Amino acid sequence: MTSTLFQRLYLPGIAVAVFLLLLPSEASASYALEEWNMDTRQNLPLVLKIWLGAMLVANLSSVFFVKNHIAARWVLSAWLVSHAWIAFLEGTGAYTVQGGLVSLGHIIVWSPAIYALYRYRADFSWPSPYGGWVCAMLVFYGVSLIFDFRDAAIWISAQLG
């Protein structure tokens, strides 16, 4: 039953992502080659601010599950690493942080967390607070990674000339 529930979560997530990709508005615009700084973040469309805020809450909610669930430890670690390296780059000015670079980082850093959510799916039960959190993380990661793959590809292409 757990595997079926995992599979059922991916289809709605993919449908939402495809819908957002097809929107002819700035909500679906790529930020791959734009500098990713506080000005950019503050000027995002409201729908993206809400999405990022909800995703932040979901990621930080992992602290409630880290004691009993290995996957929650991976998610929290991925969130910390994904923010630490961007903060380092921004703080040192070593590299101009662009949206596509952030997206590439998400792909690299979130992959182990996604694998952990799958690997430790036996810990998942529905309905439960942990089960709801796992569902939320899979939807957030699944939808976000669709955009991250697109933006990372744009950024890599621009870097290669």
Side-chain angles (χ1 to χ4, degrees), residues 84-97:
W85 80 277
I86 293 298
F88 173 78
L89 290 177
E90 285 181 339
T92 62
Y95 199 84
T96 301
V97 179

Side-chain angles (χ1 to χ4, degrees), residues 7 19 27 39-40 45 52 83 91 110 112-113 128 146 155-156 159:
Q7 292 167 351
F19 173 76
D39 289 335
T40 305
L52 292 174
H83 283 76
W110 291 353
S128 71
I146 291 170
W155 184 81
I156 290 167
Q159 300 307 306

